[in-house]
Amino acid sequence: MIRTVETKPFADQKPGTSGLRKKVPVFQQPNYVENFVQSIFDSLEGFAGKTLVVGGDGRYYNREAIQKVIKIAVANGFGHLVIGKGGILSTPAVSCLIRGRTAYGGIILSASHNPGGPNGDFGIKYNIGNGGPAPEKITDAIFARTTTIDHYKIADAPDVDLDTIGATIVEGAKVDIVDPVTEYSALMKTLFDFDAIRALFASGFRMRFDAMHAVTGPYAHAILEGELGSGAGTVVNGVPLPDFGGHHPDPNLTYAKELYDLMMSSEAPNFGAASDGDGDRNLIIGRGIFVTPSDSLAMLAANARHAPGYAKGLAGIARSMPTSAAADRVAAKLGVKCYETPTGWKFFGNLLDAGLATICGEESSGTGSNHVREKDGLWAVLLWLNILAKRRISVLDLAREHWSIYGRNYYTRHDYDEIDLTAANGLMDALRGQLASLPGTSRGVLKIHAADDFEYHDPVDGSDTKAQGVRILFEDGSRIVYRLSGTGTAGATLRVYIERYVPEDGNLGEETQSALADLIALSHELAGIEQRTGRKAPSVIT
Ligand code: G1P
Ligand code: ZN
């Protein structure tokens, strides 16, 4: 039976950089999930009888939310639901399933790299038929609907058994519980030279993959240890847990410190990697070298031809604005265009769909390609492995070689978490107020060449997106960028991105924070970070 339930709007259901993210208790309020999911469906049309893919990263409240999504989707007329066993699907696997099964769309239950558990974060994101995050036109419509919603439809049916593979019927719709790994793994085999990677491992090459008790555990066990013979014990923290074992499932140098320390020690294996809560981010560390995500994008793009899926070359490269310009130099050498988009994967979708870009990346540990429409942590790991297998070179030597060809973009991001929202907005407003007067002025040896608030004109759909971050651009190619996070759930997070370019004949071996010391000091001064936020130092440095 299908029931229509009366409800009242919640005022706080505006999707951010990547879907709706809130603390678990917010989602646990009666009708909170129901309202948002119904608002998604109310903003779409033509899905009667069609397929919806649903899965999440296994965090606390995943199972409860999935049962609600199933019942609301069925009541609204979807004809077929594809759900990962145990409610588990990584974000790239959802994208892969949507595309592989030509589904109408998908719903991902995740708050990505944010902590989980009863007082942690939860999130709901809608993806469209190309497998990518809904564009702003749709997320704006969803938000508008959440402000007026007065009823939702839900099937009065028992909970679906999420742990048994196979199909059941709920109110006339087919509900398929599928293995979360099978179709994703098959796609990876079409892109990479699995034989070459197997041979690399057989030659004694060792790696460690930290799944951070998040969603990639099952994928990494099956693909790295199972298919590629990386050896038992390669994957650590491989069991997804509702609270990620109490850790912060963000693969950066702060939260994946154990992996970093191992990779810098004399016990280091050849290659270290990690992925985040929902499996779309990646961390790459070689023996004795952390590869920044911006550099990783550039190095992968420069060497992608070694993987069968990219042997024909790249149509173009795309990076988010705060990501370093290292990829631009590779694009120039390859003779292809490099697109600069606002922060968030959703801006890459149009470029990939139109065939303008093949590989994309963000400084926030996100790398991916046209194989799906999400960033993809394990894909990045496999492309690295494929390149290392073909070239038989260490990560450190590959990085040195890269810098000696293209020069080096020293790069760091400083995050100030949970600062006061009013103070954060005041800081950004004050920066915007200075934009007109900064160009032409100097700070020490650094001369400001331009300053703006980044705007993007989408070459495919013609849309314009404004106010995407304040950029201070220096004459020598250095940059300081300021923006507020759109994914946080407590107060505001100020992100400061700092970059300096050193040409191939310059000093390429400096320690990053000291190479950037002048710019870091200037980033404080220009924005008055301490006066406005009370913070002397960032909470996280990546
Ligand atoms: C952050 C990252 C951004 C990424 C997003 C989703 O968004 O900065 O690159 O696409 O998470 O993973 P932010 O919190 O900065 O808005
Ligand atoms: Zn993520």
Side-chain angles (χ1 to χ4, degrees):
M1 199 185 75
I2 289 165
R3 278 194 300 140
T4 299
V5 181
E6 278 187 27
T7 186
K8 290 204 176 67
F10 291 89
D12 63 347
Q13 295 197 319
K14 189 172 172 53
T17 311
S18 191
L20 180 69
R21 286 195 197 162
K22 303 280 172 198
K23 296 279 174 211
V24 166
V26 175
F27 275 102
Q28 285 171 322
Q29 298 172 84
N31 295 345
Y32 197 87
V33 169
E34 290 84 343
N35 274 21
F36 190 70
V37 173
Q38 183 67 52
S39 297
I40 296 176
F41 298 150
D42 286 347
S43 311
L44 308 172
E45 47 193 30
F47 55 78
K50 302 235 167 102
T51 303
L52 182 75
V53 177
V54 187
D57 61 12
R59 69 178 58 227
Y60 190 86
Y61 207 55
N62 194 40
R63 285 173 176 265
E64 291 85 343
I66 288 187
Q67 297 292 352
K68 291 180 195 230
V69 173
I70 295 173
K71 291 171 195 174
I72 299 169
V74 162
N76 278 272
F78 276 97
H80 184 197
L81 301 190
V82 176
I83 297 166
K85 182 172 180 242
I88 294 281
L89 281 176
S90 75
T91 290
V94 170
S95 192
C96 163
L97 282 167
I98 294 174
R99 295 169 68 77
R101 293 175 175 247
T102 48
Y104 181 88
I107 288 184
I108 301 175
L109 303 158
S110 169
S112 186
H113 49 287
N114 296 5
N119 295 306
D121 289 354
F122 192 75
I124 304 183
K125 186 170 84 158
Y126 177 67
N127 279 29
I128 58 175
N130 73 353
E136 290 202 324
K137 199 171 65 163
I138 295 181
T139 53
D140 288 348
I142 295 170
F143 175 55
R145 181 60 188 148
T146 65
T147 63
T148 59
I149 188 167
D150 57 8
H151 70 274
Y152 60 85
K153 286 197 241 165
I154 189 159
D156 240 343
D159 280 358
V160 170
D161 172 8
L162 299 175
D163 299 307
T164 308
I165 288 186
T168 50
I169 303 291
V170 178
E171 288 291 340
K174 186 172 164 206
V175 178
D176 254 324
I177 306 296
V178 304
D179 180 82
V181 181
T182 311
E183 285 157 71
Y184 176 82
S185 171
L187 176 61
M188 293 301 114
K189 278 184 210 160
T190 68
L191 302 173
F192 302 118
D193 189 337
F194 272 38
D195 287 337
I197 304 174
R198 248 179 240 124
L200 178 71
F201 283 122
S203 75
F205 182 95
R206 288 288 157 261
M207 94 174 264
R208 167 154 312 176
F209 181 86
D210 189 344
M212 305 189 91
H213 286 304
V215 79
T216 48
Y219 296 85
H221 277 302
I223 298 173
L224 298 175
E225 294 177 355
E227 297 272 353
L228 296 170
S230 65
T234 301
V235 179
V236 296
N237 302 322
V239 178
L241 297 176
D243 67 347
F244 307 115
H247 297 297
H248 202 124
D250 195 354
N252 61 33
L253 300 186
T254 303
Y255 300 117
K257 188 163 185 310
E258 218 173 289
L259 177 69
Y260 178 77
D261 289 344
L262 171 73
M263 295 308 298
M264 298 303 134
S265 76
S266 55
E267 308 292 297
N270 305 79
F271 189 62
S275 189
D276 73 328
D278 61 330
D280 57 358
R281 295 188 173 200
N282 70 85
L283 171 69
I284 301 294
I285 314 182
R287 198 180 263 168
I289 179 178
F290 156 62
V291 184
T292 69
S294 294
D295 270 350
S296 178
L297 171 67
M299 292 169 191
L300 290 177
N303 290 283
R305 65 182 184 285
H306 293 288
Y310 308 95
K312 292 205 185 90
L314 308 179
I317 304 174
R319 65 163 172 87
S320 65
M321 177 274 283
T323 304
S324 95
D328 303 37
R329 296 174 192 282
V330 175
K333 192 150 215 152
L334 293 174
V336 299
K337 221 175 147 183
C338 190
Y339 297 86
E340 187 177 21
T341 62
T343 298
W345 206 260
K346 61 190 169 203
F347 295 96
F348 295 137
N350 280 345
L351 300 173
L352 295 168
D353 283 352
L356 295 175
T358 307
I359 285 191
C360 319
E362 291 195 275
E363 53 64 43
S364 53
S365 306
T367 336
S369 87
N370 58 355
H371 69 292
V372 289
R373 293 294 180 274
E374 290 279 5
K375 56 192 179 234
D376 187 343
L378 262 174
W379 169 90
V381 171
L382 292 170
L383 182 50
W384 264 102
L385 286 171
N386 191 143
I387 292 165
L388 298 178
K390 279 293 172 78
R391 297 206 46 202
R392 297 292 171 126
I393 184 175
S394 72
V395 175
L396 184 59
D397 286 343
L398 189 141
R400 285 184 175 148
E401 172 200 270
H402 188 94
W403 297 329
S404 74
I405 298 172
Y406 299 95
R408 180 170 178 185
N409 292 71
Y410 283 98
Y411 187 84
T412 191
R413 184 177 100 190
H414 288 197
D415 288 342
Y416 299 79
D417 288 338
E418 299 194 18
I419 58 177
D420 178 73
L421 191 57
T422 314
N425 285 325
L427 180 148
M428 291 302 294
D429 287 345
L431 278 170
R432 291 194 181 98
Q434 295 182 61
L435 291 176
S437 59
L438 284 174
T441 63
S442 291
R443 300 288 189 286
V445 293
L446 292 159
K447 190 154 186 213
I448 299 176
H449 152 75
D452 66 6
D453 195 354
F454 182 66
E455 294 184 12
Y456 178 62
H457 179 75
D458 186 311
V460 180
D461 68 14
S463 61
D464 289 296
T465 309
K466 298 194 190 320
Q468 292 299 305
V470 166
R471 303 193 291 182
I472 316 284
L473 308 169
F474 298 88
E475 251 171 17
D476 67 350
S478 299
R479 291 193 311 174
I480 302 174
V481 174
Y482 302 85
R483 59 179 284 282
L484 298 183
S485 157
T487 57
T489 55
T493 294
L494 170 68
R495 302 202 197 284
V496 186
Y497 310 81
I498 299 149
E499 172 176 359
R500 183 162 76 95
Y501 176 67
V502 173
E504 52 276 22
D505 54 1
N507 185 352
L508 302 171
E510 271 185 88
E511 193 276 321
T512 301
Q513 300 300 315
S514 50
L516 295 170
D518 288 2
L519 284 159
I520 292 171
L522 189 52
S523 77
H524 283 260
E525 186 192 317
L526 284 172
I529 294 178
E530 190 180 343
Q531 300 88 299
R532 290 184 175 272
T533 69
R535 301 287 176 86
K536 279 199 170 59
S539 343
V540 178
I541 295 180
T542 48

PDB file of all heavy atoms in Angstrom, residues 336-360:
ATOM      1  N   VAL A 336      46.844  19.959 -25.636  1.00  0.00           N
ATOM      2  CA  VAL A 336      45.394  19.927 -25.391  1.00  0.00           C
ATOM      3  C   VAL A 336      45.024  21.049 -24.426  1.00  0.00           C
ATOM      4  O   VAL A 336      45.895  21.648 -23.780  1.00  0.00           O
ATOM      5  CB  VAL A 336      44.922  18.558 -24.832  1.00  0.00           C
ATOM      6  CG1 VAL A 336      45.216  17.449 -25.822  1.00  0.00           C
ATOM      7  CG2 VAL A 336      45.561  18.261 -23.460  1.00  0.00           C
ATOM      8  N   LYS A 337      43.730  21.293 -24.293  1.00  0.00           N
ATOM      9  CA  LYS A 337      43.272  22.394 -23.446  1.00  0.00           C
ATOM     10  C   LYS A 337      43.201  21.967 -21.982  1.00  0.00           C
ATOM     11  O   LYS A 337      42.929  20.804 -21.676  1.00  0.00           O
ATOM     12  CB  LYS A 337      41.868  22.802 -23.920  1.00  0.00           C
ATOM     13  CG  LYS A 337      41.728  24.298 -23.928  1.00  0.00           C
ATOM     14  CD  LYS A 337      40.448  24.795 -24.479  1.00  0.00           C
ATOM     15  CE  LYS A 337      40.219  26.047 -23.663  1.00  0.00           C
ATOM     16  NZ  LYS A 337      39.113  26.793 -23.793  1.00  0.00           N
ATOM     17  N   CYS A 338      43.459  22.918 -21.075  1.00  0.00           N
ATOM     18  CA  CYS A 338      43.244  22.652 -19.654  1.00  0.00           C
ATOM     19  C   CYS A 338      42.117  23.571 -19.179  1.00  0.00           C
ATOM     20  O   CYS A 338      42.226  24.790 -19.289  1.00  0.00           O
ATOM     21  CB  CYS A 338      44.515  22.906 -18.850  1.00  0.00           C
ATOM     22  SG  CYS A 338      44.370  22.318 -17.163  1.00  0.00           S
ATOM     23  N   TYR A 339      41.038  23.004 -18.684  1.00  0.00           N
ATOM     24  CA  TYR A 339      39.882  23.784 -18.229  1.00  0.00           C
ATOM     25  C   TYR A 339      40.000  24.043 -16.735  1.00  0.00           C
ATOM     26  O   TYR A 339      40.432  23.164 -15.985  1.00  0.00           O
ATOM     27  CB  TYR A 339      38.588  23.020 -18.517  1.00  0.00           C
ATOM     28  CG  TYR A 339      38.369  22.816 -19.991  1.00  0.00           C
ATOM     29  CD1 TYR A 339      38.933  21.711 -20.648  1.00  0.00           C
ATOM     30  CD2 TYR A 339      37.629  23.719 -20.741  1.00  0.00           C
ATOM     31  CE1 TYR A 339      38.755  21.524 -22.009  1.00  0.00           C
ATOM     32  CE2 TYR A 339      37.449  23.545 -22.100  1.00  0.00           C
ATOM     33  CZ  TYR A 339      38.011  22.445 -22.730  1.00  0.00           C
ATOM     34  OH  TYR A 339      37.842  22.268 -24.076  1.00  0.00           O
ATOM     35  N   GLU A 340      39.596  25.240 -16.327  1.00  0.00           N
ATOM     36  CA  GLU A 340      39.653  25.619 -14.909  1.00  0.00           C
ATOM     37  C   GLU A 340      38.227  25.858 -14.431  1.00  0.00           C
ATOM     38  O   GLU A 340      37.558  26.786 -14.900  1.00  0.00           O
ATOM     39  CB  GLU A 340      40.499  26.888 -14.768  1.00  0.00           C
ATOM     40  CG  GLU A 340      40.770  27.294 -13.341  1.00  0.00           C
ATOM     41  CD  GLU A 340      41.688  28.525 -13.258  1.00  0.00           C
ATOM     42  OE1 GLU A 340      41.781  29.285 -14.248  1.00  0.00           O
ATOM     43  OE2 GLU A 340      42.296  28.714 -12.190  1.00  0.00           O
ATOM     44  N   THR A 341      37.763  25.017 -13.522  1.00  0.00           N
ATOM     45  CA  THR A 341      36.354  25.037 -13.098  1.00  0.00           C
ATOM     46  C   THR A 341      36.249  25.427 -11.626  1.00  0.00           C
ATOM     47  O   THR A 341      37.242  25.371 -10.900  1.00  0.00           O
ATOM     48  CB  THR A 341      35.743  23.628 -13.249  1.00  0.00           C
ATOM     49  OG1 THR A 341      36.472  22.744 -12.387  1.00  0.00           O
ATOM     50  CG2 THR A 341      35.820  23.120 -14.673  1.00  0.00           C
ATOM     51  N   PRO A 342      35.045  25.762 -11.145  1.00  0.00           N
ATOM     52  CA  PRO A 342      34.898  25.991  -9.704  1.00  0.00           C
ATOM     53  C   PRO A 342      35.105  24.693  -8.919  1.00  0.00           C
ATOM     54  O   PRO A 342      35.088  23.605  -9.508  1.00  0.00           O
ATOM     55  CB  PRO A 342      33.445  26.460  -9.555  1.00  0.00           C
ATOM     56  CG  PRO A 342      33.040  26.918 -10.907  1.00  0.00           C
ATOM     57  CD  PRO A 342      33.811  26.073 -11.877  1.00  0.00           C
ATOM     58  N   THR A 343      35.267  24.798  -7.626  1.00  0.00           N
ATOM     59  CA  THR A 343      35.430  23.635  -6.755  1.00  0.00           C
ATOM     60  C   THR A 343      34.192  22.741  -6.816  1.00  0.00           C
ATOM     61  O   THR A 343      33.076  23.235  -6.830  1.00  0.00           O
ATOM     62  CB  THR A 343      35.629  24.129  -5.310  1.00  0.00           C
ATOM     63  OG1 THR A 343      36.818  24.897  -5.286  1.00  0.00           O
ATOM     64  CG2 THR A 343      35.747  22.971  -4.338  1.00  0.00           C
ATOM     65  N   GLY A 344      34.391  21.444  -6.851  1.00  0.00           N
ATOM     66  CA  GLY A 344      33.274  20.490  -6.848  1.00  0.00           C
ATOM     67  C   GLY A 344      33.239  19.715  -8.149  1.00  0.00           C
ATOM     68  O   GLY A 344      33.396  20.280  -9.231  1.00  0.00           O
ATOM     69  N   TRP A 345      33.049  18.402  -8.029  1.00  0.00           N
ATOM     70  CA  TRP A 345      33.139  17.529  -9.209  1.00  0.00           C
ATOM     71  C   TRP A 345      32.038  17.802 -10.220  1.00  0.00           C
ATOM     72  O   TRP A 345      32.176  17.512 -11.413  1.00  0.00           O
ATOM     73  CB  TRP A 345      33.112  16.060  -8.768  1.00  0.00           C
ATOM     74  CG  TRP A 345      33.803  15.191  -9.752  1.00  0.00           C
ATOM     75  CD1 TRP A 345      33.232  14.414 -10.714  1.00  0.00           C
ATOM     76  CD2 TRP A 345      35.226  15.028  -9.907  1.00  0.00           C
ATOM     77  NE1 TRP A 345      34.205  13.780 -11.453  1.00  0.00           N
ATOM     78  CE2 TRP A 345      35.432  14.136 -10.969  1.00  0.00           C
ATOM     79  CE3 TRP A 345      36.342  15.548  -9.235  1.00  0.00           C
ATOM     80  CZ2 TRP A 345      36.702  13.752 -11.391  1.00  0.00           C
ATOM     81  CZ3 TRP A 345      37.603  15.159  -9.656  1.00  0.00           C
ATOM     82  CH2 TRP A 345      37.773  14.276 -10.717  1.00  0.00           C
ATOM     83  N   LYS A 346      30.924  18.374  -9.746  1.00  0.00           N
ATOM     84  CA  LYS A 346      29.789  18.530 -10.660  1.00  0.00           C
ATOM     85  C   LYS A 346      30.126  19.386 -11.881  1.00  0.00           C
ATOM     86  O   LYS A 346      29.494  19.240 -12.922  1.00  0.00           O
ATOM     87  CB  LYS A 346      28.572  19.089  -9.923  1.00  0.00           C
ATOM     88  CG  LYS A 346      28.775  20.440  -9.305  1.00  0.00           C
ATOM     89  CD  LYS A 346      27.576  20.776  -8.392  1.00  0.00           C
ATOM     90  CE  LYS A 346      27.888  21.999  -7.553  1.00  0.00           C
ATOM     91  NZ  LYS A 346      27.088  22.070  -6.345  1.00  0.00           N
ATOM     92  N   PHE A 347      31.131  20.228 -11.784  1.00  0.00           N
ATOM     93  CA  PHE A 347      31.465  21.083 -12.928  1.00  0.00           C
ATOM     94  C   PHE A 347      32.223  20.333 -14.027  1.00  0.00           C
ATOM     95  O   PHE A 347      32.352  20.824 -15.143  1.00  0.00           O
ATOM     96  CB  PHE A 347      32.258  22.305 -12.467  1.00  0.00           C
ATOM     97  CG  PHE A 347      31.442  23.204 -11.587  1.00  0.00           C
ATOM     98  CD1 PHE A 347      31.527  23.113 -10.209  1.00  0.00           C
ATOM     99  CD2 PHE A 347      30.541  24.107 -12.142  1.00  0.00           C
ATOM    100  CE1 PHE A 347      30.750  23.922  -9.388  1.00  0.00           C
ATOM    101  CE2 PHE A 347      29.763  24.923 -11.334  1.00  0.00           C
ATOM    102  CZ  PHE A 347      29.865  24.825  -9.949  1.00  0.00           C
ATOM    103  N   PHE A 348      32.761  19.165 -13.707  1.00  0.00           N
ATOM    104  CA  PHE A 348      33.484  18.393 -14.728  1.00  0.00           C
ATOM    105  C   PHE A 348      32.541  17.617 -15.653  1.00  0.00           C
ATOM    106  O   PHE A 348      32.915  17.247 -16.760  1.00  0.00           O
ATOM    107  CB  PHE A 348      34.454  17.397 -14.076  1.00  0.00           C
ATOM    108  CG  PHE A 348      35.586  18.037 -13.307  1.00  0.00           C
ATOM    109  CD1 PHE A 348      35.969  17.551 -12.070  1.00  0.00           C
ATOM    110  CD2 PHE A 348      36.272  19.124 -13.834  1.00  0.00           C
ATOM    111  CE1 PHE A 348      37.023  18.131 -11.365  1.00  0.00           C
ATOM    112  CE2 PHE A 348      37.323  19.704 -13.137  1.00  0.00           C
ATOM    113  CZ  PHE A 348      37.697  19.214 -11.892  1.00  0.00           C
ATOM    114  N   GLY A 349      31.332  17.336 -15.161  1.00  0.00           N
ATOM    115  CA  GLY A 349      30.403  16.463 -15.893  1.00  0.00           C
ATOM    116  C   GLY A 349      30.184  16.905 -17.337  1.00  0.00           C
ATOM    117  O   GLY A 349      30.287  16.103 -18.267  1.00  0.00           O
ATOM    118  N   ASN A 350      29.885  18.179 -17.531  1.00  0.00           N
ATOM    119  CA  ASN A 350      29.608  18.668 -18.881  1.00  0.00           C
ATOM    120  C   ASN A 350      30.818  18.514 -19.794  1.00  0.00           C
ATOM    121  O   ASN A 350      30.691  18.162 -20.964  1.00  0.00           O
ATOM    122  CB  ASN A 350      29.221  20.158 -18.840  1.00  0.00           C
ATOM    123  CG  ASN A 350      27.775  20.347 -18.423  1.00  0.00           C
ATOM    124  OD1 ASN A 350      26.995  19.404 -18.427  1.00  0.00           O
ATOM    125  ND2 ASN A 350      27.434  21.567 -18.057  1.00  0.00           N
ATOM    126  N   LEU A 351      32.020  18.793 -19.250  1.00  0.00           N
ATOM    127  CA  LEU A 351      33.249  18.711 -20.060  1.00  0.00           C
ATOM    128  C   LEU A 351      33.503  17.269 -20.487  1.00  0.00           C
ATOM    129  O   LEU A 351      33.899  16.997 -21.624  1.00  0.00           O
ATOM    130  CB  LEU A 351      34.453  19.242 -19.271  1.00  0.00           C
ATOM    131  CG  LEU A 351      34.377  20.702 -18.813  1.00  0.00           C
ATOM    132  CD1 LEU A 351      35.548  21.030 -17.894  1.00  0.00           C
ATOM    133  CD2 LEU A 351      34.375  21.645 -20.021  1.00  0.00           C
ATOM    134  N   LEU A 352      33.253  16.333 -19.556  1.00  0.00           N
ATOM    135  CA  LEU A 352      33.449  14.915 -19.864  1.00  0.00           C
ATOM    136  C   LEU A 352      32.403  14.445 -20.867  1.00  0.00           C
ATOM    137  O   LEU A 352      32.718  13.757 -21.841  1.00  0.00           O
ATOM    138  CB  LEU A 352      33.387  14.078 -18.582  1.00  0.00           C
ATOM    139  CG  LEU A 352      34.494  14.331 -17.557  1.00  0.00           C
ATOM    140  CD1 LEU A 352      34.159  13.674 -16.221  1.00  0.00           C
ATOM    141  CD2 LEU A 352      35.841  13.819 -18.057  1.00  0.00           C
ATOM    142  N   ASP A 353      31.145  14.830 -20.623  1.00  0.00           N
ATOM    143  CA  ASP A 353      30.070  14.413 -21.536  1.00  0.00           C
ATOM    144  C   ASP A 353      30.319  14.925 -22.954  1.00  0.00           C
ATOM    145  O   ASP A 353      30.039  14.232 -23.935  1.00  0.00           O
ATOM    146  CB  ASP A 353      28.713  14.961 -21.069  1.00  0.00           C
ATOM    147  CG  ASP A 353      28.146  14.162 -19.896  1.00  0.00           C
ATOM    148  OD1 ASP A 353      28.717  13.111 -19.557  1.00  0.00           O
ATOM    149  OD2 ASP A 353      27.135  14.602 -19.316  1.00  0.00           O
ATOM    150  N   ALA A 354      30.841  16.138 -23.047  1.00  0.00           N
ATOM    151  CA  ALA A 354      31.045  16.744 -24.368  1.00  0.00           C
ATOM    152  C   ALA A 354      32.352  16.274 -25.011  1.00  0.00           C
ATOM    153  O   ALA A 354      32.702  16.702 -26.113  1.00  0.00           O
ATOM    154  CB  ALA A 354      31.047  18.266 -24.247  1.00  0.00           C
ATOM    155  N   GLY A 355      33.109  15.440 -24.311  1.00  0.00           N
ATOM    156  CA  GLY A 355      34.370  14.943 -24.870  1.00  0.00           C
ATOM    157  C   GLY A 355      35.467  15.997 -24.903  1.00  0.00           C
ATOM    158  O   GLY A 355      36.441  15.865 -25.647  1.00  0.00           O
ATOM    159  N   LEU A 356      35.336  17.044 -24.086  1.00  0.00           N
ATOM    160  CA  LEU A 356      36.362  18.095 -24.079  1.00  0.00           C
ATOM    161  C   LEU A 356      37.522  17.738 -23.154  1.00  0.00           C
ATOM    162  O   LEU A 356      38.638  18.212 -23.334  1.00  0.00           O
ATOM    163  CB  LEU A 356      35.743  19.427 -23.639  1.00  0.00           C
ATOM    164  CG  LEU A 356      34.680  20.008 -24.578  1.00  0.00           C
ATOM    165  CD1 LEU A 356      34.045  21.251 -23.982  1.00  0.00           C
ATOM    166  CD2 LEU A 356      35.307  20.345 -25.937  1.00  0.00           C
ATOM    167  N   ALA A 357      37.246  16.954 -22.128  1.00  0.00           N
ATOM    168  CA  ALA A 357      38.299  16.548 -21.186  1.00  0.00           C
ATOM    169  C   ALA A 357      38.243  15.045 -20.977  1.00  0.00           C
ATOM    170  O   ALA A 357      37.169  14.445 -21.055  1.00  0.00           O
ATOM    171  CB  ALA A 357      38.125  17.270 -19.860  1.00  0.00           C
ATOM    172  N   THR A 358      39.409  14.448 -20.702  1.00  0.00           N
ATOM    173  CA  THR A 358      39.459  13.008 -20.412  1.00  0.00           C
ATOM    174  C   THR A 358      39.794  12.779 -18.945  1.00  0.00           C
ATOM    175  O   THR A 358      39.238  11.909 -18.296  1.00  0.00           O
ATOM    176  CB  THR A 358      40.537  12.314 -21.278  1.00  0.00           C
ATOM    177  OG1 THR A 358      40.306  12.643 -22.633  1.00  0.00           O
ATOM    178  CG2 THR A 358      40.492  10.796 -21.108  1.00  0.00           C
ATOM    179  N   ILE A 359      40.730  13.577 -18.408  1.00  0.00           N
ATOM    180  CA  ILE A 359      41.168  13.402 -17.020  1.00  0.00           C
ATOM    181  C   ILE A 359      40.899  14.695 -16.254  1.00  0.00           C
ATOM    182  O   ILE A 359      41.100  15.796 -16.790  1.00  0.00           O
ATOM    183  CB  ILE A 359      42.662  13.005 -16.986  1.00  0.00           C
ATOM    184  CG1 ILE A 359      42.792  11.539 -17.409  1.00  0.00           C
ATOM    185  CG2 ILE A 359      43.280  13.226 -15.618  1.00  0.00           C
ATOM    186  CD1 ILE A 359      44.151  10.911 -17.177  1.00  0.00           C
ATOM    187  N   CYS A 360      40.419  14.556 -15.020  1.00  0.00           N
ATOM    188  CA  CYS A 360      40.095  15.742 -14.211  1.00  0.00           C
ATOM    189  C   CYS A 360      40.665  15.556 -12.813  1.00  0.00           C
ATOM    190  O   CYS A 360      40.877  14.428 -12.371  1.00  0.00           O
ATOM    191  CB  CYS A 360      38.603  15.906 -13.995  1.00  0.00           C
ATOM    192  SG  CYS A 360      37.582  15.579 -15.382  1.00  0.00           S
TER     193      CYS A 360
END
